[in-house]
Amino acid sequence: MSLVTQDLVTQDLESTEELPEVIVFPPTDLWSDEPPLESDLHRLQMQLLIDCLSWLWRDRNDFYATGNLTIYYSPEQRKSQDFRGPDFFVVLGTERKHRKSWVVWGENGQYPNVIVEIISQSTAKVDKGLKKQIYQDVFRTPEYFWFHPDTLDLAGFLLVGGQYQPLETSDRGWLWSQQLELYLGVQNRQLRFFTREGQLIPTPAEVAEVAQQRAETLAAQLRELGIEPNA
């Protein structure tokens, strides 16, 4: 090997040694991996909570409300361990956008502010035990609720000093959420949101129905006066 060739090889080796180490960041766009909800009753209840809160906060862009979506929270940032999928949860102070899942390490370390589990006979033990412990000790979620759509069992807990303390019910049997600034209560065998004044938070469908009824009433009144509404 000539001296020129040897120098070139030496320079190449030195350049290779000086290359910076490539840092591989864990993925943050993981797909949710939750099984279907136990029954149509559970699915409809979950969607009801999402629809009502989304309508109420339709002009806000600083929250994320969803249900049956995987939360990945592994300290090692691994998809294969440490994940849970609450039936309904709300994260405050975040961007309102569509997500495949909630990946804690890709969301500035944020966990849900509010979690609601829609329990059943087969899930009650886990929802009231293991999950409650995880939401208290790991997630540090300020408020945790559970609701049984068959028995109408409703309970709520507030994180105080690192421990969940039971919430007291109002005269109507409702539970106040400081995080949402709303009551959670049962009406017509469904878990619903209510304002501080006791007003029911409607779904978009309920809002449209009321608007339709008002329009029909107004049209009838105009016809009584001899005025054709659509003229």
Side-chain angles (χ1 to χ4, degrees):
M1 181 183 297
S2 67
L3 291 176
V4 174
T5 304
Q6 186 174 4
D7 288 342
L8 290 174
V9 171
T10 302
Q11 290 175 8
D12 287 342
L13 290 173
E14 290 176 350
S15 298
T16 302
E17 292 174 355
E18 293 174 359
L19 287 175
E21 181 181 355
V22 177
I23 300 175
V24 179
F25 292 97
T28 59
D29 60 341
L30 303 176
W31 285 100
S32 180
D33 192 27
E34 293 307 303
L37 292 175
E38 188 161 313
S39 69
D40 284 344
L41 196 60
H42 288 72
R43 177 180 57 80
L44 292 172
Q45 176 62 79
M46 177 197 72
Q47 194 61 50
L48 179 62
L49 295 175
I50 296 172
D51 290 346
C52 290
L53 194 64
S54 297
W55 180 85
L56 178 65
W57 290 353
R58 58 194 178 280
D59 296 325
R60 290 179 55 171
N61 293 304
D62 62 346
F63 77 99
Y64 181 63
T66 190
N68 201 38
L69 195 79
T70 303
I71 297 175
Y72 294 102
Y73 62 97
S74 167
E76 289 77 28
Q77 301 183 358
R78 296 177 181 174
K79 175 185 177 182
S80 59
Q81 65 183 46
D82 295 334
F83 55 89
R84 287 287 164 184
D87 292 329
F88 172 79
F89 67 89
V90 181
V91 184
L92 302 176
T94 189
E95 184 180 0
R96 185 179 185 179
K97 64 179 183 180
H98 294 294
R99 291 170 169 86
K100 299 176 183 177
S101 61
W102 184 267
V103 183
V104 171
W105 60 85
E107 300 284 355
N108 300 315
Q110 282 186 278
Y111 286 90
N113 294 75
V114 177
I115 290 177
V116 179
E117 290 289 0
I118 305 166
I119 67 177
S120 65
Q121 184 176 354
S122 62
T123 66
K125 184 177 180 180
V126 173
D127 291 333
K128 295 181 178 182
L130 176 61
K131 284 188 177 181
K132 180 170 176 272
Q133 199 72 35
I134 291 174
Y135 299 156
Q136 171 187 276
D137 298 338
V138 181
F139 285 22
R140 314 290 290 172
T141 293
E143 294 175 347
Y144 173 48
F145 300 86
W146 69 58
F147 174 64
H148 197 310
D150 293 317
T151 66
L152 306 185
D153 175 26
L154 173 63
F157 302 87
L158 177 67
L159 194 66
V160 180
Q163 300 291 320
Y164 274 142
Q165 301 298 327
L167 289 171
E168 294 185 4
T169 59
S170 69
D171 295 339
R172 299 179 179 181
W174 299 348
L175 298 172
W176 177 251
S177 168
Q178 295 180 6
Q179 296 290 310
L180 303 179
E181 296 186 330
L182 294 169
Y183 279 109
L184 283 80
V186 180
Q187 177 169 293
N188 296 329
R189 302 189 65 83
Q190 294 178 319
L191 183 62
R192 301 295 299 262
F193 293 120
F194 300 86
T195 65
R196 188 186 298 271
E197 295 73 29
Q199 182 178 358
L200 175 70
I201 304 301
T203 65
E206 289 170 338
V207 173
E209 183 179 355
V210 170
Q212 179 65 26
Q213 291 173 351
R214 289 176 178 172
E216 292 174 355
T217 300
L218 177 59
Q221 292 173 343
L222 290 174
R223 290 191 181 97
E224 290 178 357
L225 297 174
I227 302 173
E228 182 55 43
N230 299 321

